[in-house]
């Protein structure tokens, strides 16, 4: 980020990619508000960073009012918000004929509505400041669909489209990046309840890379000069086809 003492909010920071991103940004000098639902994980993350560098924020991104309040609180306390990393996501894969409608709804709520809630919360502050950066963590599933992933990929196509639309609509000074990971070590696949999808995942996820690879990509995008807007980055294991 181009400002001194930047402040970021990272959603889904209690595990996996979000945790790695929060840790990396904090190490690079950003004050990070680490948001997720599991407060115990966030407290442990905050304790692992230099004092005050990572602030825990218990937050459910599906709650629009709560997301707005969290971002407004950051601005009230720090006088600024420079970066949203919209990373929170869930991936309970299944075929459509399994009929797991509640799981489809949850993916839409977290992966799409959660992203929109974050954008809505930061945009007024970014517009007022004339600067700011939204990084959306989408997926290689934003570019291609595969069996058992129709709804998940649908949410990631949506995340890509929403982020690209934000880029086109944003006033000058606001930067927008979609980072799309391939298979990364995390807790994401633990949310799969469907036995067929679980089995397929064991093979698919065999060559996962560490979440630090995605944190590196985010760090690259946010550290560019103010006039440089890195719009899309895809990072996958070299063995993933
Ligand atoms: P994890 O399951 O390890 O992390 C997901 C994070 O999202 C957790 O911190 C979880 O925190 C948070 N989260 C889930 N629901 C909510 C909610 N309602 N409100 C707030 N936070 C929530 O998986 P990853 O790190 O892998 O996932 C991060 C992102 O990366 C996701 O968007 C995912 O789709 C994407 N991605 C991951 C890939 C991979 O292979 N790992 C590949 C491509 C994309 P908590 O439960 O505490 O709320």
């Amino acid at each position: 980020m181009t400002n001194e003492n930047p402040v970021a909010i990272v959603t889904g920071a209690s595990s996996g990619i979000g945790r790695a991103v929060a840790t990396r940004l904090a190490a690079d000098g950003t004050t990070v508000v680490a948001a997720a639902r599991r407060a115990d994980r966030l407290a442990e993350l905050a304790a692992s960073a230099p004092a005050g560098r990572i602030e825990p924020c218990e937050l459910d991104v599906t709650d629009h009012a709560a997301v707005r309040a969290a971002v407004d609180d950051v601005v009230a306390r720090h006088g600024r918000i420079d970066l949203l990393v919209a990373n929170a996501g869930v991936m309970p894969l299944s075929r459509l004929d399994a009929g797991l409608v509640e799981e489809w709804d949850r993916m839409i709520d977290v992966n799409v509505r959660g992203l929109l809630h974050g954008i809505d919360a930061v945009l007024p502050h970014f517009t007022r400041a004339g600067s700011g950066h939204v990084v959306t963590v989408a997926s290689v599933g934003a570019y291609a669909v595969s069996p058992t992933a129709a709804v998940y990929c649908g949410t990631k196509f949506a995340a890509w489209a929403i982020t690209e639309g934000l880029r086109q609509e944003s006033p000058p000074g606001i930067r927008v990046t979609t980072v799309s990971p391939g298979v990364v070590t995390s807790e994401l696949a633990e949310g799969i309840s469907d036995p067929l999808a679980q089995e397929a995942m064991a093979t698919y996820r065999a060559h996962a890379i560490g979440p630090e690879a995605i944190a590196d990509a985010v760090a690259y995008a946010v550290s560019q000069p103010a006039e440089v807007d890195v719009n899309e980055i895809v990072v996958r294991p070299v063995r993933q086809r």
Side-chain angles (χ1 to χ4, degrees):
M1 270 156 295
T2 48
N3 297 308
E4 278 179 27
N5 309 315
V7 178
I9 183 163
V10 178
T11 68
S14 60
S15 64
I17 292 169
R19 183 189 165 95
V21 169
T23 302
R24 172 62 189 270
L25 292 174
D28 289 350
T30 298
T31 298
V32 178
V33 176
R37 295 166 305 171
R38 287 173 291 178
D40 55 335
R41 294 286 198 94
L42 297 174
E44 187 260 317
L45 172 63
S48 73
R53 192 60 91 185
I54 297 184
E55 301 176 354
C57 172
E58 196 175 336
L59 182 66
D60 185 335
V61 296
T62 67
D63 183 339
H64 178 215
V67 177
R68 272 210 134 172
V71 169
D72 288 349
D73 178 61
V74 172
V75 176
R77 290 185 297 106
H78 293 283
R80 60 186 312 123
I81 178 87
D82 300 284
L83 170 66
L84 164 68
V85 181
N87 164 78
V90 293
M91 189 191 68
L93 301 178
S94 61
R95 288 172 53 91
L96 292 169
D97 56 13
L100 299 175
V101 177
E102 283 180 14
E103 294 189 351
W104 305 347
D105 287 346
R106 192 151 53 84
M107 282 188 274
I108 293 164
D109 284 345
V110 178
N111 303 1
V112 181
R113 292 200 174 93
L115 166 64
L116 287 167
H117 295 162
I119 290 171
D120 179 64
V122 296
L123 212 47
H125 299 293
F126 286 1
T127 304
R128 207 171 303 119
S131 66
H133 197 154
V134 173
V135 176
T136 299
V137 178
S139 171
V140 292
Y143 299 90
V145 186
S146 52
T148 74
V151 179
Y152 179 71
C153 292
T155 67
K156 293 302 184 176
F157 272 57
W160 181 92
I162 290 162
T163 311
E164 169 61 11
L166 176 65
R167 183 189 71 76
Q168 294 178 18
E169 292 178 9
S170 289
I174 296 177
R175 304 194 293 177
V176 177
T177 305
T178 301
V179 175
S180 289
V183 182
V184 172
T185 311
S186 77
E187 298 173 14
L188 196 65
E190 293 172 18
I192 302 174
S193 68
D194 181 71
L196 273 178
Q198 264 175 2
E199 203 182 311
M201 268 298 103
T203 318
Y204 183 70
R205 299 188 74 78
H207 302 297
I209 52 176
E212 296 76 18
I214 311 307
D216 286 348
V218 174
Y220 167 75
V222 303
S223 63
Q224 296 306 301
E227 70 274 19
V228 177
D229 195 7
V230 178
N231 299 131
E232 288 186 50
I233 305 178
V234 179
V235 182
R236 55 161 69 83
V238 73
R239 295 183 68 174
Q240 185 178 354
R241 293 290 172 245

